[in-house]
Amino acid sequence: MKLYGLSNTKISCALISACISTPYNTTRFIKDLIAGITVGIIAIPLAMALAIASGVPPQHGLYTAIIAGFVIALTGGSKFSVSGPTAAFVVILYPVSLQYGLSGLFIATLLSGIFLVLMGLIRLGRLIEYIPLPVVLGFTSGIAITIATMQIKDFFGLTLEHMPESYISKVIELIKTLPTINIADTMVGVVTLTVLIVWPKLRLKISGHLPALIAGVIVMFIFNQFGYQIETIGSRFTYTLADNTIGHGIPSVLPEFILPWQHAKFTWDWSTFTALLPISLTMAMLCAIESLLCAVVLDEMTHTKHHSNSELIGQGLGNLIAPFFGGISATAAIARSAANVKAGATSPIAAVLHSLVVLLALICFAPALSFIPLSAMAALLLIVAWNMSAVQRVIYIIKCAPKDDILIMLICMSLTVLFDMVIAITLGIVLASILFMRRIARMTRLVELNRSDNKILALRINGPLFFAAAERTFLEIYQKINGYRHIVLQWDAVPILDAGGLNALIHFIDELPEDVDLSICELQFQPLKTLARAKIVPISNKLMFYSTLDEALKDKTKP
């Protein structure tokens, strides 16, 4: 199914290739069912925890996993991706929910969905290839640090009325409130965290998320027997049903269709739209990066190939539809998707079933979910932040990578923590591009060809003649021409001549002494095409072109 006649841009590529092009049978369905149940169990606490960290009630994280996870699985381009709320979005969503409320967050999500669909339609699916690894590691590690810092309050049960916006202010306030530590909350968090750390070492097929939360709840009930009060989802969050019934925790009702701007008192005007537009573009960019990164990781795990543009369209449709049912921003989650593969998934049906498992939990177990301690949820997010930080890869970069890459990574990490991700990614890419151009420019060198004729200066230019290298290269040639009548430049190793290089060449020709001529030989296709478009033609006794170096030298040595 092609959209608007755009080739290579399709909806549901993954579903079609996995279930329709290839026969889908009962055996594969059972494997997908097991994977869906496994990932669904993992997704339930994570979805709630990430919603809380984003500044919204936990049920909206479940709604996101249900609606967005379902839609993206059916329409996306990666066979094994599982989508829902992710930790990367927390640092963007929290300030939006704080300033604009639920409606503002839903509208920003909707707009980001539009951007994602457009990105898929204009085939920007290869976007991830142009973001350097140090930039990706820098901003993901920075996000991990920010998320971990935000969990300190709930993990230790600190009394903090208002969390400041800036990172430094957050740290100062957390230090000030350390004397208010709640030993009961802390013990619940410590036990949950310990189980999460130890569980993988047991090498069991069952994920440790559910056992860890159960251990945290048991510790909470033990402390309750001694009169300690521990904050839970039910004690912090309330909801109001259509009949004005007020409840605590999570409502055990299906997600309802409500226009995004009708969830709360919200002033929709031009100034609000212009404020949310750049935020939604940032959300779309992050979703694209996260989903395509996840798809690449899954390709390596399964030896398959995803459809990048279809994946962007699927992510866009999921983020377009989810806000109408109370969902927040969603993207492919690497941890859940990897668990999906390890659990034996064979198609996107596994991700669809994961959404149905979350829906079943919402309907049947919402009262039980309200008993989960917030300190246990904080422990869960601390593990998520640790995994997201990719500490081993960061250490490897610091030990082995060039100094430029280390600098870029540390700058991106610092800017993400101290300011925001948009500044970090933008400056990181710009800085990486500049440093990369400097490296390439340094690769352009002159090699003097030894010739017996002392009237001929024969040089081989080795490397691209672009704006960052051309001026220096031609200046170096100009400094060598004293005493020579003929300059011969071999361009067989010049792959690129850009506008800057062309301008430097023209300026060099103009500055040549009247008794000196220039010959260029062995041009590659791109430089030849550039010279032709610029209508650079031979000039008698000034500029000549030759097919080979020998031909040029032979012509210059004629009596």
Side-chain angles (χ1 to χ4, degrees), residues 105-424:
L105 185 55
F106 293 149
I107 291 169
T109 302
L110 189 153
L111 292 173
S112 72
I114 295 173
F115 281 124
L116 282 163
V117 171
L118 292 175
M119 289 166 67
L121 291 177
I122 61 177
R123 299 170 65 182
L124 292 181
R126 306 297 291 273
L127 176 74
I128 189 64
E129 296 180 2
Y130 299 97
I131 301 178
L133 177 62
V135 174
V136 175
L137 280 180
F139 82 77
T140 52
S141 299
I143 291 171
I145 293 169
T146 304
I147 292 171
T149 304
M150 292 170 64
Q151 304 318 306
I152 293 174
K153 173 182 176 293
D154 286 337
F155 187 87
F156 293 106
L158 302 179
T159 303
L160 181 60
E161 296 297 329
H162 174 70
M163 183 72 80
E165 291 188 15
S166 71
Y167 182 79
I168 300 297
S169 300
K170 282 187 179 77
V171 173
I172 292 172
E173 286 300 315
L174 288 170
I175 293 172
K176 286 181 180 178
T177 56
L178 279 178
T180 65
I181 186 172
N182 186 314
I183 188 63
D185 284 287
T186 303
M187 287 305 300
V188 169
V190 168
V191 169
T192 306
L193 187 62
T194 302
V195 174
L196 287 167
I197 293 171
V198 173
W199 193 266
K201 298 178 181 178
L202 301 177
R203 299 186 181 278
L204 300 175
K205 291 185 177 180
I206 302 172
S207 169
H209 295 77
L210 186 59
L213 289 179
I214 292 173
V217 171
I218 292 172
V219 174
M220 178 191 70
F221 281 126
I222 292 172
F223 273 95
N224 285 343
Q225 301 304 311
F226 295 94
Y228 288 93
Q229 295 299 316
I230 297 173
E231 195 169 22
T232 64
I233 289 175
S235 65
R236 178 177 292 185
F237 297 99
T238 61
Y239 59 86
T240 304
L241 299 177
D243 59 357
N244 293 324
T245 302
I246 298 175
H248 292 272
I250 300 171
S252 56
V253 295
L254 293 172
E256 295 181 333
F257 179 87
I258 303 176
L259 296 176
W261 46 88
Q262 291 184 344
H263 275 269
K265 292 181 180 179
F266 183 75
T267 304
W268 179 248
D269 52 28
W270 180 250
S271 62
T272 305
F273 175 76
T274 53
L276 289 175
L277 198 62
I279 296 172
S280 61
L281 179 58
T282 303
M283 292 161 62
M285 290 294 295
L286 180 58
C287 179
I289 294 169
E290 281 279 301
S291 60
L292 296 179
L293 266 177
C294 179
V296 170
V297 171
L298 296 176
D299 286 349
E300 293 174 355
M301 291 178 65
T302 59
H303 307 291
T304 57
K305 183 67 177 175
H306 72 281
H307 300 266
S308 55
N309 295 315
S310 179
E311 180 65 8
L312 290 182
I313 293 174
Q315 293 291 336
L317 292 174
N319 282 279
L320 260 172
I321 296 170
F324 290 93
F325 296 90
I328 58 176
S329 293
T331 187
I334 294 178
R336 274 161 274 174
S337 301
N340 189 39
V341 171
K342 292 176 181 177
T346 69
S347 74
I349 299 299
V352 172
L353 294 170
H354 130 274
S355 296
L356 297 179
V357 169
V358 178
L359 177 63
L360 183 66
L362 176 68
I363 296 172
C364 300
F365 302 110
L369 295 177
S370 299
F371 286 103
I372 297 177
L374 292 179
S375 54
M377 303 296 271
L380 194 65
L381 286 181
L382 285 174
I383 289 293
V384 171
W386 173 260
N387 293 333
M388 188 178 182
S389 66
V391 173
Q392 291 181 342
R393 297 181 73 187
V394 170
I395 294 172
Y396 177 80
I397 290 287
I398 292 174
K399 286 182 177 180
C400 305
K403 291 181 180 179
D404 289 351
D405 289 339
I406 298 172
L407 177 66
I408 291 166
M409 183 184 69
L410 295 178
I411 287 175
C412 286
M413 189 185 301
S414 302
L415 289 175
T416 301
V417 172
L418 298 177
F419 297 98
D420 65 57
M421 193 189 64
V422 182
I423 296 174

